[in-house]
Amino acid sequence: MDELFVTTVVASWKQVFNRLDERFALLDQEQLQKQVAPNKNRLVYLLGHLTAVHDRMLPLLGIGERLHPELDEAYISNPDRTIADPLSAADLKKAWNEVNTAITSAVEGFLVDDWLKKHNAVSDEEFSKNPTRNRLAVFLSRTNHASFHTGQMALAK
Amino acid sequence: MDELFVTTVVASWKQVFNRLDERFALLDQEQLQKQVAPNKNRLVYLLGHLTAVHDRMLPLLGIGERLHPELDEAYISNPDRTIADPLSAADLKKAWNEVNTAITSAVEGFLVDDWLKKHNAVSDEEFSKNPTRNRLAVFLSRTNHASFHTGQMALAK
């Protein structure tokens, strides 16, 4: 029963990820320059942003070192169109896949107890007060964050 | 341990719901007429759409009869601006709260086994082949659906 609970949570992540992945796969370098709406983020910014945010999940969930810290300045610390894109579209898509493959394969090995361990941005003291600040909470929050930006991408034609 | 897993899942739903709720609460009848981007859905359409989709969760999760089936025609079956809004902004906000309160209080009483029961849009046969088609899957999917539209709402100024 526990296993099925975990499988269902990971299936939800994969569904969100696959939808984004299909969308990104269809876009070439030029199409990625489109904005989701007038004066809003470019698609490539959202691809970079999601890759960087997911890359940060590796240390946060205690499943590995970061693979692409070079994306943070352009896609997390600064708004769109203020810093040059650090990677080509092809390399950014490669990074996106690399990061998500690392996360998916790590969490597929998680047992229920692993999900309920504290994540690495919360202190032992905080966690003992609030045990919902666990890895599952981070994972669900990032799945919803990806859906948030998927909704924006759907507006770009 | 099981209980904590379930609490974390419901906390994620509440977080998404509260963020939307704060956003909708600030908008009056006129502001709700704004579109998220040029020629895209109005905010009131998204509010109606999310209310109708969540209302459908009541029978789907086996936790109650529908409260607002009158919203489907305007906000699910048809695109925005083809059918007159069936409720005033105030009444729609009331419906939104009513529906989400019903869902939250029902799922807060779910035990792990309740989450893993089949939802009501899948046959016994299908479910025996694929037990991830359970209530938890519906709940996570609707949480992500709400995040999808929250991302679009964030674009409207």
Side-chain angles (χ1 to χ4, degrees):
Chain A
M1 276 305 199
D2 286 351
E3 204 183 319
L4 186 55
F5 214 97
V6 164
T7 309
T8 307
V9 167
V10 176
S12 161
W13 156 271
K14 283 185 188 169
Q15 191 176 43
V16 170
F17 166 75
N18 286 337
R19 194 195 298 180
L20 269 170
D21 205 40
E22 281 164 24
R23 182 91 169 87
F24 284 133
L26 291 173
L27 301 168
D28 62 24
Q29 180 118 15
E30 200 188 311
Q31 290 165 321
L32 279 168
Q33 295 300 318
K34 282 188 197 163
Q35 298 170 351
V36 299
N39 299 316
K40 302 294 178 178
N41 291 330
R42 291 169 306 151
L43 294 168
V44 69
Y45 184 85
L46 293 184
L47 175 56
H49 177 66
L50 288 167
T51 305
V53 168
H54 290 191
D55 195 47
R56 286 182 170 189
M57 290 170 73
L58 296 167
L60 194 56
L61 296 175
I63 55 182
E65 296 295 313
R66 294 202 56 181
L67 301 171
H68 292 284
E70 77 276 15
L71 300 175
D72 287 17
E73 204 197 344
Y75 301 125
I76 293 188
S77 317
N78 288 288
D80 192 16
R81 297 181 294 271
T82 52
I83 304 276
D85 296 312
L87 298 179
S88 69
D91 284 345
L92 184 56
K93 284 184 191 182
K94 220 166 99 182
W96 159 254
N97 276 298
E98 212 179 327
V99 167
N100 288 300
T101 302
I103 295 167
T104 304
S105 65
V107 299
E108 283 185 326
F110 274 15
L111 304 174
V112 171
D113 283 0
D114 295 319
W115 283 108
L116 299 177
K117 282 180 193 155
K118 85 177 195 66
H119 62 70
N120 288 329
V122 66
S123 68
D124 289 334
E125 197 193 336
E126 268 304 316
F127 184 63
S128 71
K129 279 188 232 161
N130 183 0
T132 66
R133 301 190 64 179
N134 52 43
R135 289 159 159 190
L136 176 62
V138 166
F139 191 73
L140 293 173
S141 161
R142 294 307 177 275
T143 308
N144 277 288
H145 173 258
S147 292
F148 181 97
H149 290 302
T150 305
Q152 298 178 333
M153 289 183 60
L155 299 175
K157 280 288 172 260
Chain B
M1 275 304 199
D2 286 351
E3 202 183 321
L4 186 55
F5 214 98
V6 164
T7 309
T8 308
V9 168
V10 177
S12 161
W13 156 270
K14 283 184 187 168
Q15 191 176 42
V16 169
F17 166 75
N18 286 337
R19 195 195 297 180
L20 270 170
D21 205 39
E22 281 164 24
R23 183 91 167 85
F24 284 132
L26 291 174
L27 301 169
D28 61 26
Q29 181 118 14
E30 197 188 313
Q31 289 165 320
L32 280 168
Q33 295 300 319
K34 282 188 196 163
Q35 299 170 350
V36 298
N39 300 314
K40 302 293 179 182
N41 292 329
R42 290 169 307 150
L43 294 168
V44 70
Y45 184 85
L46 294 183
L47 174 57
H49 177 66
L50 288 167
T51 305
V53 168
H54 290 190
D55 195 46
R56 286 182 170 190
M57 289 171 73
L58 296 167
L60 194 56
L61 297 176
I63 54 182
E65 296 295 313
R66 292 200 58 179
L67 300 172
H68 291 285
E70 77 277 15
L71 300 175
D72 287 16
E73 204 197 344
Y75 302 124
I76 293 189
S77 316
N78 288 288
D80 192 16
R81 295 182 295 270
T82 51
I83 305 276
D85 295 313
L87 298 179
S88 69
D91 284 345
L92 183 56
K93 284 184 191 182
K94 220 167 97 182
W96 159 254
N97 275 299
E98 212 180 325
V99 167
N100 288 300
T101 303
I103 295 168
T104 304
S105 66
V107 300
E108 283 184 327
F110 274 14
L111 304 175
V112 171
D113 283 359
D114 296 318
W115 282 108
L116 299 177
K117 282 181 192 152
K118 84 177 196 65
H119 62 71
N120 288 329
V122 67
S123 68
D124 289 334
E125 197 193 336
E126 268 305 317
F127 185 63
S128 71
K129 280 187 228 158
N130 184 358
T132 66
R133 300 190 63 180
N134 52 42
R135 289 159 159 191
L136 175 62
V138 166
F139 191 73
L140 293 173
S141 162
R142 294 306 177 275
T143 309
N144 277 288
H145 173 256
S147 292
F148 181 97
H149 291 301
T150 305
Q152 299 178 332
M153 289 182 61
L155 299 175
K157 280 286 173 264

